Amino acid sequence: MEKIKMQTPLVEMDGDEMTRILWQMIKEELLLPYIDLNTEYYDLGLIHRNETDDQVTVDAANATKKYGVAVKCATITPNKARMEEYNLKRMYKSPNGTIRAILDGTVFRSPIIVKGIEPCVKNWKKPITLARHAYGDIYKNTEFYIDKPGKVELVYTSEDGEEKRALVQEFHAPGVAMGMHNMDASIESFARSCFNYALDTRQDVWFGAKDTISKTYDSRFKEIFGRIFEAEFRDRFAAVGLTYFYSLIDDIVARVMKAEGGFIWACKNYDGDVMSDMVSSAFGSLAMMTSVLVSPQGYFEYEAAHGTVQRHYYRHLEGKETSTNSVATIFAWTGALRKRGELDQNRELSAFADLLEKATLQTIESGKMTKDLALITSLENPEVLNSRDFIQAVKETLNELMK
Ligand code: NAP
Ligand code: MG
């Protein structure tokens, strides 16, 4: 069989620990035999980030701006323990944070649905994609503890000297106070990313905030979403039969629980932090969540939602067998390859991505899976495979489908 050609390179960001091992296996077994893989390779493994003073992360993000599509392996975000383990020159920032700061944008997370792994919520039949605003609110707050009577005020001084002042609370006894902010520009780009991604994936958008209580702050989010939808998206949504729906966050939560899925749930930063963990665990497993960063300019970076699976890696280093789930990492590759195919009008490449996803799901549905899924599956007598054997089993299914 002739290998599939790629016109434009995909930006490939390698990573750390167990996911780096899976990365190599996926390339060897599931990609290189079928595709003349054209990637621009960036090693974001912590050792190489340290060698380059983290310049490699910046270069990889800039390459994503140049080519438009990237695929990223999970990476270590260093903490104190990692400083010692890797003898680091400094405590580098999270690579995802660095990349997001350069590309700007919104992270969309969706569960991979497969027969045999049933959501806890019975009526969820289709994926719920969670879009989390990634700037501001309590993640960039200022807060303090008040230990004696006094008053807390919110003060704004404009550059030309105008002052606004409001009483937060008169404290007669100890308590806590906090200040936080957001930016119109950031909310606008969040809204655009959501609406663009909805058009791209043909899904409705639901957005919830608490504008009845927060009449200025949350109302601003509601207004901006509404304004951008009316001005730039209403007609395009109508043309393909999609809708945008705003309601109070508590009403949205109640509706989500009764819905069948198949929409994008746009969340403010904190709501997204909390609700994405609820949605992913209710759908089954963190190892079955995909994640894509979509910039307002239309750059895409695909990855798995989970981390580097450190505990499994240490077992692997001891020479012990691991049964690490590679599905979300396989889907990061297929997401990126499909998008690359779409942008280059390379139908063969997109079709291959579809087929590899199908092969992955069929393998699980036939009862072959890694340990994490075997523990939660509704299929009887699942066959638990180790990391490599699962990827091999997917390859066998893929070869069958290609016949
Ligand atoms: P993690 O790698 O997501 O793993 C947490 C636990 O979840 C694992 O120990 C494992 O449970 C289970 N798990 C996650 N993915 C799995 C998979 N593919 N197959 C089977 N089980 C899986 O999170 P972590 O251990 O908290 O973090 C490890 C490193 O990842 C950290 O250095 C962190 O900075 C980094 N991280 C990176 C990203 C990213 O690059 N996007 C995201 C999150 C974390 P059992 O051990 O019980 O089997
Ligand atoms: Mg969280």
Side-chain angles (χ1 to χ4, degrees), residues 223-243:
E223 276 164 36
I224 287 175
F225 264 72
R227 170 164 53 75
I228 287 185
F229 180 72
E230 289 304 328
E232 301 168 31
F233 292 93
R234 178 175 280 292
D235 297 343
R236 291 155 75 194
F237 267 51
V240 290
L242 294 179
T243 54

Side-chain angles (χ1 to χ4, degrees), residues 7 18 26 85 93 115 145 156 182 255 261 278 382 391:
Q7 300 97 308
M18 201 59 211
I26 292 168
E85 186 182 354
K93 283 192 195 147
K115 276 188 218 109
Y145 176 62
Y156 159 76
N182 221 300
R255 286 170 188 262
M278 184 196 75
I391 290 171

Side-chain angles (χ1 to χ4, degrees), residues 132 273-274 276-277:
R132 173 182 170 189
D273 186 351
V274 177
S276 66
D277 283 19

Side-chain angles (χ1 to χ4, degrees), residues 290-336:
T290 63
S291 183
V292 56
L293 173 72
V294 182
S295 86
Q297 291 80 19
Y299 310 127
F300 294 81
E301 185 230 344
Y302 293 84
E303 62 169 346
H306 61 77
T308 60
V309 211
Q310 180 181 16
R311 217 177 58 84
H312 295 208
Y313 181 59
Y314 289 162
R315 280 181 61 84
H316 171 82
L317 289 182
E318 287 169 24
K320 291 182 184 150
E321 194 167 84
T322 58
S323 180
T324 314
N325 190 333
S326 48
V327 173
T329 307
I330 294 172
F331 274 62
W333 274 100
T334 52

Side-chain angles (χ1 to χ4, degrees), residues 116-117 284 311 369-379 382 384:
I117 310 296
R311 217 177 58 84
M369 58 190 80
T370 45
K371 192 175 159 192
D372 57 311
L373 295 186
L375 290 171
I376 57 170
T377 186
S378 56
L379 298 177
V384 181

Side-chain angles (χ1 to χ4, degrees), residues 331 352-363 365 397 401:
F331 274 62
F352 175 81
D354 291 343
L355 202 66
L356 178 51
E357 289 185 359
K358 191 171 168 190
T360 307
L361 299 181
Q362 273 193 14
T363 304
E365 285 167 4
T397 317
L401 289 173

Side-chain angles (χ1 to χ4, degrees), residues 131-199:
R132 173 182 170 189
H133 186 208
Y135 178 84
D137 302 349
I138 63 163
Y139 301 86
K140 227 170 151 24
N141 72 352
T142 308
E143 52 184 20
F144 39 53
Y145 176 62
I146 288 130
D147 57 0
K148 55 187 179 202
K151 66 177 175 189
V152 174
E153 289 178 297
L154 197 57
V155 183
Y156 159 76
T157 319
S158 74
E159 273 181 10
D160 60 15
E162 187 197 319
E163 194 179 276
K164 279 190 201 176
R165 191 175 276 269
L167 179 70
V168 174
Q169 181 66 23
E170 195 84 55
F171 281 83
H172 304 293
V176 282
M178 169 166 89
M180 61 183 197
H181 80 283
N182 221 300
M183 303 283 193
D184 280 4
S186 175
I187 304 166
E188 283 163 9
S189 81
F190 174 47
R192 283 197 183 93
S193 295
C194 289
F195 294 138
N196 275 321
Y197 194 66
L199 287 170

